[in-house]
Amino acid sequence: MQTLAAKDLTLGYGDDIIIDDLDISIPKGEITVFIGGNGCGKSTLLRSLARLLKPKGGDIVLNGEDIAKMRTKEVAQKLAILPQSPVTPEGLTVLELVKQGRHPYRGFLKQWSKDDDQAVNKALDVTNMAYLQDRTVDSLSGGQRQRAWIAMTLAQDTDTILLDEPTTYLDMTHQIDVLDLLFELNEKDGRTVVMVLHDLNLACRYAHHIVAIRDKQVFAQGKPEEIVTCNLVHEVFQMKCDVTFDPMFGTPMCIPHGRGRCIYANGAGTGTGTSQTALN
């Protein structure tokens, strides 16, 4: 069952085509992660799915409807997007930021309601940001700031959430913290989560469904354990590696070649299967 889908999608800026004639389906109620090399079009694809970028060709369907024909507020009540490195106006408090998530439900004459309060309070509680609601966003740490933005996204109260590199600039602890939060939202609420991630191992650990982008197309998509192989890493990232298993979760784990060896694949592939060697 799908919540978002694109058919014959072509995207670009001016004469520069970034995505060409691409088909994709996002499984409903699962975590989908886009992976691929720098500049391959992951963020461009995500923005188009949120109707922030008009396609040059093709169609995008949200819950069975052509997203181009839907009203902006209607889209915003079904789908929320958190862009990469959003900028907060100076002096804005966490509470004021999170309240912005209720904008799709506001009208010119509509007063702030109990439903709005409940959505904001729930978002603050779920993200563990209630105790920081009176702090200014620019005074927070990187991890806290990202949680504040996620809280705003949750206050929008949509079934589908899109996030562009939500772990960028965060240290390892806060990366896991943010991804655990998104994983719990999916597990408890059944929300569809679509993310762009650079870390292939974290993508494998948290995703139900991975979409690998290469040469303006979907190179492969499916469950991490079914598609992430040495050959995929070679073809998509031009990198030599071994693929073994995460000792904690059993998900694929990529071990790049390096440290005096040529890390970039150049010529023949490095194999098509997944190594069966477990880490101790």
Side-chain angles (χ1 to χ4, degrees), residues 43-61:
S43 295
T44 298
L45 176 58
L46 194 80
R47 292 183 69 236
S48 74
L49 292 176
R51 213 177 69 169
L52 297 181
L53 178 65
K54 185 177 180 180
K56 289 180 174 292
D59 300 300
I60 298 171
V61 177

Side-chain angles (χ1 to χ4, degrees), residues 27-196:
K28 186 177 179 64
E30 295 188 0
I31 298 176
T32 295
V33 176
F34 295 164
I35 63 170
N38 289 339
C40 72
K42 303 183 297 294
S43 295
T44 298
L45 176 58
L46 194 80
R47 292 183 69 236
S48 74
L49 292 176
R51 213 177 69 169
L52 297 181
L53 178 65
K54 185 177 180 180
K56 289 180 174 292
D59 300 300
I60 298 171
V61 177
L62 172 61
N63 295 338
E65 298 183 63
D66 184 345
I67 198 171
K69 298 179 180 179
M70 297 171 64
R71 293 183 300 110
T72 299
K73 276 196 173 184
E74 184 182 3
V75 173
Q77 290 173 5
K78 296 180 178 181
L79 180 152
I81 182 169
L82 180 59
Q84 183 182 357
S85 304
V87 178
T88 311
E90 187 175 353
L92 195 73
T93 67
V94 171
L95 179 60
E96 290 169 338
L97 175 66
V98 177
K99 282 185 173 182
Q100 298 302 310
R102 299 304 297 166
H103 180 72
Y105 303 93
R106 313 295 302 142
F108 182 69
L109 298 176
K110 187 177 181 181
Q111 300 296 313
W112 189 264
S113 69
K114 289 184 178 180
D115 288 342
D116 295 321
D117 272 330
Q118 289 175 355
V120 168
N121 291 334
K122 181 179 179 181
L124 288 167
D125 288 339
V126 166
T127 55
N128 195 28
M129 291 297 293
Y131 76 104
L132 293 171
Q133 63 181 321
D134 295 323
R135 287 268 301 273
T136 59
V137 178
D138 51 19
S139 72
L140 303 177
S141 69
Q144 291 170 335
R145 192 177 301 120
Q146 192 69 330
R147 276 182 169 268
W149 279 102
I150 291 174
M152 185 204 74
T153 306
L154 295 182
Q156 200 169 324
D157 197 23
T158 63
D159 291 331
T160 302
I161 304 172
L162 280 58
L163 306 103
D164 191 0
E165 300 185 31
T167 60
T168 298
Y169 307 127
L170 299 183
D171 61 32
M172 187 178 298
T173 299
H174 288 104
Q175 288 182 40
I176 298 300
D177 185 46
V178 166
L179 292 174
D180 276 350
L181 169 61
L182 296 171
F183 185 82
E184 290 172 6
L185 289 171
N186 169 262
E187 287 279 293
K188 293 179 180 179
D189 297 342
R191 298 192 193 223
T192 302
V193 178
V194 187
M195 292 187 281
V196 172

Side-chain angles (χ1 to χ4, degrees), residues 235-254:
E235 295 290 342
V236 173
F237 296 97
Q238 291 78 55
M239 184 177 71
K240 294 180 179 180
C241 75
D242 292 326
V243 176
T244 182
F245 298 106
D246 185 316
M248 294 187 67
F249 297 95
T251 52
M253 186 168 69
C254 175

